[in-house]
Amino acid sequence: MVKQTIQIFARVKPTSRKQPQGIYSVDEDEKSVAALEIILPRDLAEGFVNNKRESYKFKFQKIFDQESKQEAIFDTIAKPVAESVLAGYNGTIFAYGQTGSGKTFTITGGAERYSDRGIIPRTLSYIFEQLQKDSRKMYTTHISYLEIYNECGYDLLDPRHEASSLEDLPKVTILEDPDQNIHLKNLSLQQATTEEEALNLLFLGDTNRMIAETPMNQASTRSHCIFTVHISSKEPGSAVVRRAKLHLVDLAGSERVAKTGVGGQLLTEAKYINLSLHYLEQVIIALAEKHRSHIPYRNSMMTNVLRDSLGGNCMTTMIATLSLEKRNIEESISTCRFAQRVALIKNEAVLNEEIDPRLTIIRLKKEIQELKDELAIVTGEQRTEELTQVELDKLEEHIRSFVEDQDPESRLEVGSDMRKIHHCFCYLKKLLNERKIPEKSESSHEIKDQDGEVPLKEEEFKKLRDLLKQRDNEINILVNMLKKEKKKVQDMFNQQNTSRGGTRQSLSASPLYVGLDDSSKASISSTSKLTQDGNSLDYRSAFQRRKTGKKEEMSLGRQEAFEIFKQDHADSITIEDNKQILRQRFSEAKALGESINEVRSKIGHLKEEINQRQMQRVALSITDNAVGDQELDPVEEKLRSKMEEEKKSYKKMFTHLKGLKVEIEHLQLLMEKAKVKLKKEFEVWWIEEAINLQKKSLPENSPRTPESWHQQQSQSHVTNESELISRKIMPSPPLPAPPPSRNQRTRFSNSSVEESDLISKKSPPPSPLPSRNSENKFNNPNMEESDLTPRNKVPSPPPPSRNQKNPPDRLYLEERVLGSPSSSIPFTGDSQTDNDILAFLKARQNLLQKKGLANS
Ligand code: ADP
Ligand code: MG
């Protein structure tokens, strides 16, 4: 057993702007502990909380200042925990801090650079490396990824869902068994046999997490995410299995409601999140008190799930993430205070060993065989499982004469052979039964005779017939009821199938989804095969589908808009950069692969040469009859040492190539994630744009460019994405909006060279005026408005330029809106697509207007 207090570390996030000096200082001099002093700026100290202290001092195991690298964080914090997990102890690392302080960056990593990968990918890498090195034991690794939002758990690794909101993910619930062990129902455990598979799972979960997030729920700041690695190990031949869990936890933002001060629904949500952190704090306070018997774990799902990590069988580490800017001083101080309380908790981690019954059976069988062999040696006769037929016949004869013998003194002697004793009993039983049956059949015969001879009275007959009729009726009714029930069930089943795509029928019934906890003993081992064979393929294909992006086809107009959105998005630089790096790594890997092949063939040649050399020497020694073959051949020695060298370089290059492979895989996943994010943000922008265009009457509602949208997004919340500050800042003067025009002709005016240039890059080659039939279509007075309406409501035309004095007439408007007739946009004839194109063109026009590029 290892007794240990929860280890606490602090990490200070790099500040974006130059900060005034002296907000905090780190003192590493004290023995083995570090102290963080937060100094209140004078203006803040005046009105701050309840006292006028000017500085606060907090102790941590170690403080990672702004310039600390992810690698150092892993080495100091995560590696020791991973090691103890490999040894069979449970471990937990959780990050606590306000939104934007770097929790996700620390736990999962940055989305841009390979070197930014956080504790989870590095730990996975480390664990699989260690598992490979240790050939004395057999290991199995499973991964689960749980998100808790608003007291509800969601399985982020569900392979069958293309989640577009949290509610699409399977709900995870807590079950408590009579022994008060916690089980998580519906949380899938996916087997990962390699680092690559584990990473794929991490990215699948992160992508689900990102996609499920909406601006309304902002799940990333309000939910807790628990990534768990389950490792079981055993030595060959032993029945003892060790199981350990490693929880890597990204908690919700720790900010307080009072400060956020948001209204309406948001307030309740914010309070709710804080409520679960509030319960966490209560648990921690209770644990820190010496003589508390009741710890309020049950108050929230998160404390329930992390019960072992807090005051239980676990080695736990906390990372307090701090964003030490002036405006965050208050939150930083409460984060540190929380950490100080956490540091008082003492945990007792025990080795999680248990006996596997299957392995025990195998061991016992072996033991029995050994004992039998021993017995055979002692008795001198080979003991078989069954008695032979001759022995049986002899025994039965013996028993019969015993039974028949009237002498009360007679005895049945069979010796001490248990097989014979057992058979005696069996045979006696048989004899007894045989006696009974003739008696019985005699008596039943009598009854039958009686039946036949004594006819029933008429009255009795009638009574019986009535009874029979009554029973028949009853049976009919029951059959009908049964039919109805069956139909109901069938209907329900069909309904379920249609509403859920029939995928989750057996979810809760499957043992796979029960049992995160220790006591779900057999579930991991017995279902692991199932997971690997079935589900992991599922999740891979689900992820693959996402990767290839075939989820939905975009119409031409949206594609165009997406291209431009992409160009303006800050992330596109990262994607491009990563593409560049990826290309580089690819060619590096290719070159390395070629070199490896070369070295390999070199080694082959050397081997060949050595072989030949040896043959020659043998041949020589035979012909010469010399005994010189014992001597070392200098040439061969030389060849051998050369080969050793080549082997060394082969090994080196191979290790390098393996590293490259991991990096390439990681980069690909990062890019995939960035693309998904981009697409998601584009969807939001597109919808907002359409709605905005429709609200055209107010100048504030003038359409925004993708860039100004990105800016607004980044200002609205201090989240991860918020820091994607746009590259360029654009003026967006308020423009008066024109009245909407209902019918629109598809004429394009030559509004700007840039526009057509830009568009023609992507669109098909210029065609002669496409207007004819589409014009008809758009001018058709019989047409329903809905026909004109694109998917997300019809975006109204953009505002005219400022020097437009007269109310815009229709033709004018169309030309303003739609550009020149010489533009190269063809209409497709499909109203949906054409409307998309129109909407895009208008959005684009607005964009150009704001840039001042549109002709006036
Ligand atoms: P949280 O999860 O606590 O809300 P994030 O991890 O999302 O915060 O961090 C917010 C932003 O700050 C992200 O853009 C992240 O990349 C950046 N960031 C956080 N910590 C660091 C760090 N140590 N070095 C560089 N960037 C960081
Ligand atoms: Mg986060």
Side-chain angles (χ1 to χ4, degrees), residues 89-288:
Y89 296 95
N90 291 337
T92 298
I93 300 174
F94 69 91
Y96 178 98
Q98 73 185 107
T99 298
S101 59
K103 294 182 297 296
T104 306
F105 187 85
T106 304
I107 296 291
T108 309
E112 299 181 3
R113 279 174 297 271
Y114 180 63
S115 58
D116 279 350
R117 67 203 192 287
I119 286 177
I120 298 179
R122 283 173 198 270
T123 305
L124 289 175
S125 199
Y126 181 76
I127 285 177
F128 280 101
E129 196 182 304
Q130 296 308 109
L131 296 194
Q132 241 176 9
K133 273 189 201 160
D134 185 2
S135 54
R136 292 170 298 127
K137 282 188 183 166
M138 283 134 66
Y139 290 94
T140 359
T141 315
H142 287 81
I143 307 281
S144 65
Y145 204 174
L146 169 72
E147 174 159 8
I148 301 175
Y149 176 72
N150 256 353
E151 281 307 298
C152 225
Y154 300 94
D155 181 8
L156 287 174
L157 295 188
D158 182 62
R160 285 154 296 191
H161 286 276
E162 302 268 310
S164 60
S165 74
L166 269 181
E167 285 69 33
D168 291 347
L169 294 167
K171 282 207 174 52
V172 177
T173 47
I174 286 194
L175 296 179
E176 196 173 328
D177 66 19
D179 297 332
Q180 304 202 330
N181 291 314
I182 296 295
H183 302 267
L184 293 170
K185 198 178 142 199
N186 266 0
L187 183 70
S188 59
L189 285 179
Q190 309 276 9
Q191 185 167 24
T193 48
T194 60
E195 180 187 350
E196 196 184 321
E197 279 178 14
L199 271 182
N200 268 329
L201 287 167
L202 169 66
F203 280 91
L204 171 73
D206 278 346
T207 312
N208 271 338
R209 186 177 163 186
M210 187 168 69
I211 287 177
E213 185 178 19
T214 64
M216 286 307 288
N217 69 23
Q218 283 189 26
S220 71
T221 73
R222 291 168 191 189
S223 63
H224 316 288
C225 284
I226 304 176
F227 183 90
T228 309
V229 188
H230 310 247
I231 298 179
S232 64
S233 65
K234 73 171 210 70
E235 278 169 32
S238 155
V240 178
V241 183
R242 281 187 186 174
R243 299 188 200 289
K245 287 180 288 186
L246 172 61
H247 292 309
L248 300 168
V249 187
D250 187 354
L251 289 177
S254 65
E255 51 274 2
R256 316 276 143 154
V257 156
K259 201 187 164 194
T260 35
V262 275
Q265 193 204 356
L266 281 178
L267 180 68
T268 46
E269 282 192 355
K271 210 171 93 198
Y272 211 54
I273 290 297
N274 273 335
L275 209 62
S276 71
L277 283 175
H278 166 76
Y279 287 133
L280 174 67
E281 193 162 30
Q282 279 192 344
V283 165
I284 279 158
I285 290 170
L287 283 167

Side-chain angles (χ1 to χ4, degrees), residues 693-709:
L693 277 165
Q694 208 180 29
K695 287 192 204 151
K696 69 272 162 195
S697 51
L698 293 168
E700 305 91 85
N701 280 330
S702 65
R704 289 156 306 159
T705 62
E707 279 176 78
S708 62
W709 183 83

Side-chain angles (χ1 to χ4, degrees), residues 517-529:
D517 214 81
D518 285 334
S519 39
S520 64
K521 289 164 190 166
S523 76
I524 295 182
S525 51
S526 64
T527 54
S528 61
K529 211 173 139 35

Side-chain angles (χ1 to χ4, degrees), residues 105 108 178 347 520 527 568 745 793 846:
F105 187 85
T108 309
N347 277 355
S520 64
T527 54
D568 286 340
R745 275 194 318 178
K793 295 185 189 164
N846 283 312

Side-chain angles (χ1 to χ4, degrees), residues 2 123 129 261 270 296 408 471 485 537 623 626 670 741 815:
V2 181
T123 305
E129 196 182 304
R471 290 280 175 273
E485 262 329 284
L537 284 179
T623 49
L670 281 181
S741 98
E815 294 201 346

Side-chain angles (χ1 to χ4, degrees), residues 11-14 66 68 97-106 110 221 250 321 718-720 723:
R11 182 183 201 180
V12 184
K13 183 189 147 179
Q66 301 194 24
S68 302
Q98 73 185 107
T99 298
S101 59
K103 294 182 297 296
T104 306
F105 187 85
T106 304
T221 73
D250 187 354
T321 55
V718 212
T719 56
N720 198 351
E723 311 229 338

